[in-house]
């Protein structure tokens, strides 16, 4: 009850601020439609807009408690999946020099000065800028009142990034007619029964026109970046379909390279979530408020998962770290943008602030780069990552 008392005042915000920004009314309409095209870039959302979006998420949670939003139901043709309606959201993506500056500041904030990459055009590339700036689309989809997923009960467990056009990803602001599309559910997008609940994917694509001319001049639109955001909503153990060992979502372990080397350390101080939230607009209370984080069962404020991935990507651009992995690995593409590459990140446990972690890495016999972060003192792995070249 105390948690509802703390959050209840926010539920009054939608009618109060609905007309205080040109973007709140489109957000309200978007969260009630299966397919929407935002007339503005998510990078233009202000603090008022984000507050409004958070209040919509809280409102949806209240409506769900009153059984006024669709319920999560098993699929008719699968024993271990849930049917999710197909929801799609598209928007133009406008990137400014300030967006890039905020990203680089936040991504490098956890690194020691000696571990930060040297200046230069390639090494200043904001590698994970695309997933950061498209984050609001995921939040808007989860706030959609036609989606049975409850956002306040969902946590990000892993991500896959594909940098299909690395040179374009390194300079997104220069790509013409840049746009982002996010979708959830539909055929092939069912929720998967996991031991603790239901796993589902939000798929995000960032596309633009490469080369000369735009689409009006016959230019072809290409997907430059694609991301799979896998989230987990907790469910009671007896919720049908009941978890069956060996079926549903699988968390199989891959064999990591032996002899992982220390690459450096990352330190996330109390100001880290604020710095990252200014980039991605993810002001989830578990990141921003100790009180809210404890209400949801955490020991304190939680580090954004992608903030860790961005910091490690910055570390890989360091010359010493790149040399440690050797020639011919994906790290060369990270620095030089020669080939398309991918990164998979798995979040093993919540990262409570303040936090210092050692980063270790190694390569396997296929040339893939593995990395992991361990908290100093307890040797527990908090985040695992793997990177390789796209075939």
């Amino acid at each position: 009850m105390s948690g509802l008392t703390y959050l209840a005042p926010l539920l009054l915000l939608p009618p109060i601020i609905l007309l205080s920004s040109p973007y709140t009314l489109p957000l309200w309409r978007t969260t009630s439609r299966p397919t929407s095209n935002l007339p503005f870039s998510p990078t233009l959302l202000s603090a008022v807009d984000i507050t409004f979006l958070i209040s919509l998420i809280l409102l949806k949670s209240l409506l769900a408690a009153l059984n006024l939003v669709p319920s999560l139901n098993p699929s008719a043709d699968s024993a271990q999946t849930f049917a999710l309606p197909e929801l799609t959201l598209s928007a133009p993506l406008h990137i400014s020099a300030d967006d890039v500056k905020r990203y680089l500041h936040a991504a490098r904030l956890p690194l020691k000065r000696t571990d930060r990459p040297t200046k230069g055009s390639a090494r200043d590339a904001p590698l994970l800028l695309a997933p950061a700036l498209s984050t609001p689309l995921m939040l808007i989809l989860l706030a959609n009142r036609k989606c049975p997923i409850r956002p306040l009960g969902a946590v990000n467990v892993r991500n896959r990034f594909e940098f299909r056009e690395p040179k374009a990803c390194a300079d997104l602001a220069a790509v013409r007619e840049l746009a982002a599309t996010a979708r959830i559910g539909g055929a092939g997008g069912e929720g998967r029964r996991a031991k603790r609940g239901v796993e589902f994917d939000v798929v995000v694509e960032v596309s633009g026109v490469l080369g000369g001319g735009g689409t009006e001049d016959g230019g072809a639109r290409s997907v430059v970046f694609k991301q799979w955001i896998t989230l987990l909503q907790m469910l009671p153990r007896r919720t049908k379909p009941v978890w069956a060992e060996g079926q549903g979502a699988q968390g199989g372990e891959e064999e990591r390279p032996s002899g992982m080397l220390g690459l450096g350390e990352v330190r996330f101080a109390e100001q880290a979530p604020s710095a990252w939230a200014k980039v991605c607009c993810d002001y989830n209370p578990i990141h921003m408020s100790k009180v809210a984080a404890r209400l949801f069962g955490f020991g304190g404020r939680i580090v954004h998962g992608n903030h860790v991935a961005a910091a490690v990507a910055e570390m890989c651009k360091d010359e010493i770290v790149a040399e440690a992995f050797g020639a011919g690995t994906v790290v060369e593409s990270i620095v030089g943008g020669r080939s398309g590459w991918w990164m998979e990140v798995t979040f093993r446990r919540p990262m409570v602030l303040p936090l210092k972690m050692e980063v270790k890495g190694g390569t396997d016999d296929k040339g893939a780069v593995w990395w992991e972060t361990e908290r100093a003192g307890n040797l527990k792995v908090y985040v695992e990552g793997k990177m390789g070249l796209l075939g």
Side-chain angles (χ1 to χ4, degrees):
M1 181 64 68
S2 60
L4 291 176
T5 302
Y6 174 78
L7 297 173
L10 289 176
L11 299 177
L12 301 176
L13 289 173
I16 295 174
I17 64 177
L18 186 59
L19 301 178
S20 62
S21 164
Y23 304 134
T24 51
L25 189 56
L27 285 173
W28 172 260
R29 292 170 176 166
T30 295
T31 53
S32 63
R33 298 173 177 174
T35 303
S36 293
N37 294 293
L38 287 179
F40 57 86
S41 170
T43 57
L44 299 178
L45 295 176
S46 67
V48 170
D49 302 316
I50 296 302
T51 301
F52 180 70
L53 181 57
I54 292 174
S55 68
L56 290 180
I57 290 174
L58 295 173
L59 177 62
K60 177 183 174 180
S61 298
L62 176 61
L63 295 175
L66 299 174
N67 294 320
L68 296 178
V69 297
S71 58
L72 192 62
N73 296 313
S75 299
D77 55 353
S78 176
Q80 287 283 289
T81 63
F82 295 87
L84 296 177
E86 183 173 1
L87 305 176
T88 305
L89 176 62
S90 300
L93 193 59
H94 301 153
I95 300 175
S96 68
D98 286 339
D99 292 325
V100 176
K101 184 177 179 180
R102 281 190 291 266
Y103 172 87
L104 291 174
H105 168 73
R108 294 173 179 177
L109 190 63
L111 305 182
K112 289 183 177 180
R113 291 189 179 275
T114 54
D115 290 335
R116 296 176 185 178
T118 56
K119 289 187 176 181
S121 58
R123 296 184 187 277
D124 279 341
L127 296 177
L128 268 62
L129 184 63
L133 296 186
S134 57
T135 296
L137 298 185
M138 176 195 71
L139 301 177
I140 296 169
L141 276 183
L142 294 181
N144 194 303
R145 294 178 292 283
K146 293 186 178 295
C147 177
I149 296 295
R150 301 188 182 189
L152 291 182
V155 293
N156 189 194
V157 291
R158 61 183 173 273
N159 294 328
R160 177 180 170 88
F161 312 116
E162 290 188 356
F163 303 86
R164 299 187 173 185
E165 299 288 346
K167 290 185 178 180
C169 290
D171 191 11
L172 284 173
V175 178
R176 288 181 298 280
E177 300 181 31
L178 196 66
T181 299
R183 67 178 186 275
I184 183 175
E190 297 83 2
R192 304 173 295 277
R193 190 50 159 115
K195 188 173 184 180
R196 295 182 294 167
V198 54
E199 286 189 0
F200 60 97
D201 299 323
V202 177
V203 183
V204 178
E205 292 184 346
V206 175
S207 62
V209 178
L210 306 180
T215 52
E216 294 182 355
D217 301 320
R221 176 171 292 278
S222 301
V223 175
V224 300
F225 170 82
K226 189 170 183 177
Q227 176 183 11
W228 289 260
I229 308 168
T230 302
L231 299 106
L232 170 71
Q233 178 188 310
M234 305 298 181
L235 294 176
R237 295 182 62 182
R238 295 185 179 180
T239 300
K240 294 182 179 180
V242 177
W243 163 252
E245 192 71 35
Q247 301 183 40
Q250 300 297 316
E253 296 286 339
E254 293 185 86
E255 186 176 352
R256 299 195 299 273
S258 59
M260 302 271 275
L261 302 175
L263 303 178
E265 67 178 28
V266 288
R267 297 189 181 194
F268 293 88
E270 293 292 340
Q271 71 270 26
S274 296
W276 189 250
K278 289 178 181 178
V279 181
C280 67
C281 295
D282 183 359
Y283 289 90
N284 188 316
I286 65 172
H287 301 303
M288 311 310 296
S289 167
K290 289 182 180 179
V291 174
R294 287 170 180 162
L295 287 174
F296 286 102
F298 301 106
R301 296 163 64 212
I302 303 300
V303 178
H304 292 84
N306 277 355
H307 196 181
V308 178
V312 173
E314 287 298 305
M315 182 178 289
C316 287
K317 293 192 293 186
D318 179 79
E319 293 177 358
I320 297 176
V321 173
E323 290 176 0
F325 286 119
T329 65
V330 65
V331 176
E332 285 188 336
S333 284
I334 291 176
V335 175
R338 298 183 183 89
S339 304
W341 60 285
W342 54 266
M343 175 190 286
E344 294 178 351
V345 184
T346 302
F347 308 109
R348 293 297 182 189
R349 46 180 53 85
M351 296 171 284
V352 180
L353 293 167
L355 182 65
K356 181 173 73 172
M357 297 183 291
E358 181 183 3
V359 181
K360 297 181 178 179
T363 57
D364 61 20
D365 55 4
K366 297 180 181 179
V369 169
W370 297 66
W371 58 266
E372 62 185 26
T373 64
E374 293 181 354
R375 185 164 189 168
N378 64 11
L379 300 181
K380 291 182 178 179
V381 175
Y382 280 72
V383 184
E384 292 178 341
K386 185 180 179 182
M387 301 181 292
L389 297 174
L390 290 172

